[in-house]
Amino acid sequence: LGTLLFEGVGAALLAFRFQEQMGWGKAVYYGIFHSISAFCNAGFDILGREGHLYPSIVGYADNILVNGVIIGLIIIGGIGFLTWEDICEYKWKFNIYRMQSKLILATTVCLIIFPACFFFFADFQHLPVKSRFLASVFQSVTPRTAGFNTVDITMMTEASKVVMILLMLIGGSPGSTAGGMKTTTFAV
């Protein structure tokens, strides 16, 4: 039920944004597809265009709604269902959560903030501050198993590519839709 709720809200928000370029019929389909892909940490996109078949969501790099929805769905799917059980059952009473949930949430926050800061200062200097911030946060969330991108990865520094490889190795959390070695293993 939670999965359907998150994916449904994500699909509706994405369709709302996509309809400006492609009309409602195609936008609803694209919204559903990308919402499921983001929640499942699959990273598949179908936004290819003539002359550039695999742009991911580069065309929406400055769009806060698309970035926020995709980032949110990746994180929600990537923290695991037991962690969501703790969040739903105990709300903001973090001290009552299972040790695994505490470790997952703390590690997830660190694996978003530290790489985002690194990317912000190491890359994207050619972008305005808002776009630079969005690109940095997006690229700190997506490599952990989702695989979307809002920037040309080949233009990033070698150091940033190494950080992204490490994030890919770590992946998501136990009991989630994400792969990788798992955040708890990394934290321990």
Side-chain angles (χ1 to χ4, degrees):
L1 185 61
T3 299
L4 289 176
L5 175 70
F6 289 126
E7 289 178 351
V9 169
L13 291 170
L14 290 173
F16 175 76
R17 177 59 182 96
F18 291 156
Q19 63 84 24
E20 295 172 7
Q21 272 112 9
M22 55 187 77
W24 279 109
K26 204 171 180 183
V28 169
Y29 173 73
Y30 276 48
I32 292 169
F33 184 93
H34 289 90
S35 180
I36 292 169
S37 182
F39 182 84
C40 293
N41 281 251
F44 296 119
D45 74 88
I46 52 176
L47 293 171
R49 57 187 184 270
E50 192 174 325
H52 195 179
L53 297 177
Y54 309 105
S56 194
I57 55 173
V58 173
Y60 298 95
D62 289 333
N63 189 285
I64 293 173
L65 178 65
V66 172
N67 277 260
V69 169
I70 299 287
I71 287 170
L73 288 168
I74 291 168
I75 293 169
I76 290 166
I79 63 173
F81 295 104
L82 288 177
T83 303
W84 275 109
E85 182 180 321
D86 278 350
I87 292 169
C88 290
E89 189 172 337
Y90 302 117
K91 310 297 181 242
W92 296 106
K93 298 175 185 168
F94 187 76
N95 58 332
I96 301 175
Y97 289 7
R98 294 177 186 94
M99 176 56 92
Q100 175 177 311
S101 295
K102 292 176 186 177
L103 188 60
I104 286 169
L105 292 172
T107 305
T108 298
V109 167
C110 290
L111 288 173
I112 294 170
I113 292 173
F114 295 131
C117 290
F118 180 82
F119 295 146
F120 186 84
F121 292 109
D123 287 295
F124 315 129
Q125 285 81 12
H126 63 284
L127 297 174
V129 174
K130 173 193 152 200
S131 300
R132 190 174 177 186
F133 175 78
L134 280 174
S136 299
V137 172
F138 195 91
Q139 289 312 132
S140 74
V141 171
T142 191
R144 296 221 341 261
T145 65
F148 291 106
N149 64 292
T150 57
V151 295
D152 185 354
I153 304 284
T154 62
M155 302 307 287
M156 294 177 74
T157 63
E158 294 300 317
S160 291
K161 291 176 189 173
V162 169
V163 170
M164 288 177 59
I165 290 169
L166 293 173
L167 291 171
M168 289 179 217
L169 175 69
I170 295 166
S173 300
S176 73
T177 60
M181 112 176 134
K182 304 302 179 201
T183 55
T184 51
T185 303
F186 170 73
V188 170

